[in-house]
Amino acid sequence: MLNLDTRSDAFLTDPWPVLKKFRQEAPICWSESEKLFNVFRHEDIAKLFLDQRFTVEYPWRTTTHLFGKTLLDMEGEEQQRLKKIIASSVLTGINVRNFSEKFVEPTVIKLIDDVVYEPSFDFMAEIASRVPTLATCQFLGIPLDQEKWLFEKMMVLMNHLGEIEINFEAVGDVHKEVDEWLTNILVNKFEQKQEDLGYMQMFDCVRDESMETIKLVYWTFLAGGIETSMCLLGNAFVILSNHQEWFKRLAEDSSMARLILNEALRLEPVQGNTVRFATQDLDLNGISIKKNQCVRLLLTSASRDESVFQEPDVFNPERSTRKRDLTFAIGTHACMGRNFTLTNSEIVLRTFWKKIQGVRDIDKIDTVIRGSLFRKPDSVWVNSKINTVKDCCLQA
Ligand code: HEM
């Protein structure tokens, strides 16, 4: 019988052959060790996202322990109401564009300028982790000088996602610390005068809500936006460094930039899976699922499903199947940050390419994209090209 070990080194590094085998031989399959059903095929996952017999609500959900109640584990009118308010105000195309132009672009230019003159630097530490954290802080109105502290604390919480055993004491302490810190920031925000920044911040659209609701929204965005965007930047950087003609197209042809990033996300999805819970005893393609049982949707598997994507292991931004992409989920819980993260990532990669006119040697040993729930390279060492140019100019 096939057994999926999502913690094995082989799976973390190269899950693709195993996922393919499951798609072919056991597309919906019970895992005794994790006590859940794994779902592998694109078609089944897409249907399940829209199947109202499944819910995200579950009293012992890990996300609730780590972040408290968030939009991620809520159903119903309140979840829809908050999503609508946020989507129609701060996350509109125009507001995201203004935010990116006025805040993200200058921030990215500065961060890149700070490192490109070094002989070598780690793209993950200097850029991929910092841009999403700074963007999230600024978008939520959190003081930017708290960026590194916040990133550290959030990573402690995020690293527990997907774990079977949780160290509740350690997690509880960090949650409490961040929650109190957030309360102080929000209390101050009520007292501060609103500044005109040329774009709306999250607080502007939720300020009339209760403190509990505002914190719920803030926790959702802290949990949903930082690590995912860091992984996207790291994965896209590695893929594009190996396909430099596409890196150049992304930087120079804005009509292609989205297609290139979307294809990078398909080839190396950032979020490997998500879960749903059965609200009743039911039958799923002949498999009986009992009320409250968990199903895990393998988004990594869906994105390389050969019945949807021809030559799924090939990076081809010109493929025509983008509409079937499940990377950001579909249905009532579809990602709210898609445009935000893609716009900001485009800026990072374009600025980077223009600055150093291409990428040279990234350290192949360390640049393995790895992981189960979130997949990314731990580090991406870049030998700066510009260094020699600057030296030449200085000598001249
Ligand atoms: C490459 C980056 C990202 C990926 C791959 C991603 C992926 C996802 C996925 C798969 C879900 C659905 C989870 C589920 O249904 O169980 C989701 C939900 C969500 N994402 Fe993202 N996300 C990314 C970036 C962001 C960013 C930057 C933000 C915030 C600005 C964000 C905000 C959210 C929110 C608020 C939800 C919850 C929606 C709900 O439950 O109703 N995401 N994301």
Side-chain angles (χ1 to χ4, degrees), residues 49 56 61 71-73 79 83 91 139 220-221 224-226 228-229 232 265 270-271 274-276 299 326-329 332-338 340-341:
F49 269 133
V56 296
R61 226 188 131 167
L71 293 174
L72 294 162
D73 35 39
Q79 184 251 5
K83 277 191 95 159
L91 283 177
F139 194 63
T220 310
F221 278 76
I226 299 178
T228 47
S229 303
L232 166 58
L265 267 162
V270 155
Q271 186 168 332
T274 185
V275 290
R276 293 292 186 267
L299 302 176
L326 299 177
T327 323
F328 291 98
T332 50
H333 285 277
C335 180
M336 300 194 74
R338 177 182 202 138
F340 185 86
T341 195

Side-chain angles (χ1 to χ4, degrees), residues 85-86 89-90 200-209:
I85 294 175
I86 297 166
S89 53
V90 268
M200 266 180 101
Q201 286 177 305
M202 185 62 82
F203 193 72
D204 302 327
C205 83
V206 290
R207 63 181 312 127
D208 294 333
E209 304 289 336

Side-chain angles (χ1 to χ4, degrees), residues 114-391:
D114 284 351
V115 292
V116 285
Y117 298 105
E118 299 293 330
S120 67
F121 58 90
D122 177 12
F123 179 81
M124 295 308 288
E126 306 294 346
I127 311 288
S129 61
R130 295 197 64 198
V131 174
T133 317
L134 286 165
T136 305
C137 284
Q138 182 69 9
F139 194 63
L140 297 181
I142 291 170
L144 298 181
D145 60 1
Q146 325 249 319
E147 163 222 348
K148 291 199 171 152
W149 179 88
L150 174 65
F151 180 76
E152 237 174 69
K153 298 293 169 191
M154 284 311 295
M155 286 312 112
V156 174
L157 298 178
M158 299 301 288
N159 287 341
H160 280 82
L161 272 177
E163 292 294 314
I164 300 173
E165 303 270 319
I166 293 193
N167 179 344
F168 285 104
E169 214 173 300
V171 167
D173 287 349
V174 175
H175 175 89
K176 193 161 167 255
E177 205 182 341
V178 177
D179 199 63
E180 283 171 5
W181 166 86
L182 195 53
T183 309
N184 284 335
I185 289 175
L186 291 169
V187 167
N188 282 334
K189 291 197 82 59
F190 278 110
E191 288 162 6
Q192 278 161 12
K193 236 183 92 209
Q194 260 175 290
E195 245 182 288
D196 183 7
L197 297 165
Y199 51 86
M200 266 180 101
Q201 286 177 305
M202 185 62 82
F203 193 72
D204 302 327
C205 83
V206 290
R207 63 181 312 127
D208 294 333
E209 304 289 336
S210 69
M211 184 59 128
E212 193 192 350
T213 303
I214 300 177
K215 281 199 339 195
L216 174 160
V217 168
Y218 271 58
W219 269 109
T220 310
F221 278 76
L222 291 176
I226 299 178
E227 177 149 26
T228 47
S229 303
M230 166 172 72
C231 297
L232 166 58
L233 280 172
N235 295 354
F237 193 87
V238 171
I239 295 167
L240 294 174
S241 301
N242 291 324
H243 296 88
Q244 299 218 12
E245 68 287 7
W246 285 112
F247 211 147
K248 190 166 188 284
R249 285 282 293 277
L250 180 142
E252 291 172 0
D253 176 358
S254 56
S255 67
M256 276 307 289
R258 274 295 153 97
L259 290 178
I260 298 169
L261 266 185
N262 280 321
E263 174 65 355
L265 267 162
R266 185 204 61 79
L267 190 71
E268 283 293 354
V270 155
Q271 186 168 332
N273 61 67
T274 185
V275 290
R276 293 292 186 267
F277 303 89
T279 57
Q280 52 185 267
D281 291 355
L282 55 90
D283 176 278
L284 196 66
N285 292 2
I287 308 272
S288 313
I289 300 182
K290 298 256 169 299
K291 184 175 175 180
N292 289 334
Q293 277 186 322
C294 178
V295 290
R296 180 164 57 191
L297 318 182
L298 276 298
L299 302 176
T300 26
S301 177
S303 78
R304 296 223 194 173
D305 189 328
E306 41 290 302
S307 67
V308 176
F309 304 104
Q310 264 182 17
E311 295 189 292
D313 300 328
V314 174
F315 179 67
N316 173 15
E318 278 164 331
R319 65 174 71 242
S320 58
T321 38
R322 195 189 86 66
K323 279 211 161 57
R324 301 200 212 155
D325 176 21
L326 299 177
T327 323
F328 291 98
I330 53 171
T332 50
H333 285 277
C335 180
M336 300 194 74
R338 177 182 202 138
N339 185 38
F340 185 86
T341 195
L342 291 174
T343 305
N344 296 338
S345 302
E346 253 176 68
I347 293 174
V348 173
L349 295 166
R350 183 179 305 126
T351 311
F352 204 91
W353 179 272
K354 290 197 168 155
K355 197 81 197 174
I356 70 170
Q357 296 298 303
V359 189
R360 271 197 326 197
D361 310 321
I362 50 172
D363 184 341
K364 301 274 182 222
I365 295 163
D366 282 338
T367 51
V368 179
I369 296 172
R370 257 176 75 88
S372 178
L373 180 54
F374 294 110
R375 292 181 50 78
K376 65 166 179 18
D378 281 342
S379 55
V380 179
W381 283 94
V382 181
N383 293 318
S384 171
K385 228 177 182 178
I386 207 165
N387 196 40
T388 39
V389 177
K390 191 186 176 199
D391 288 349

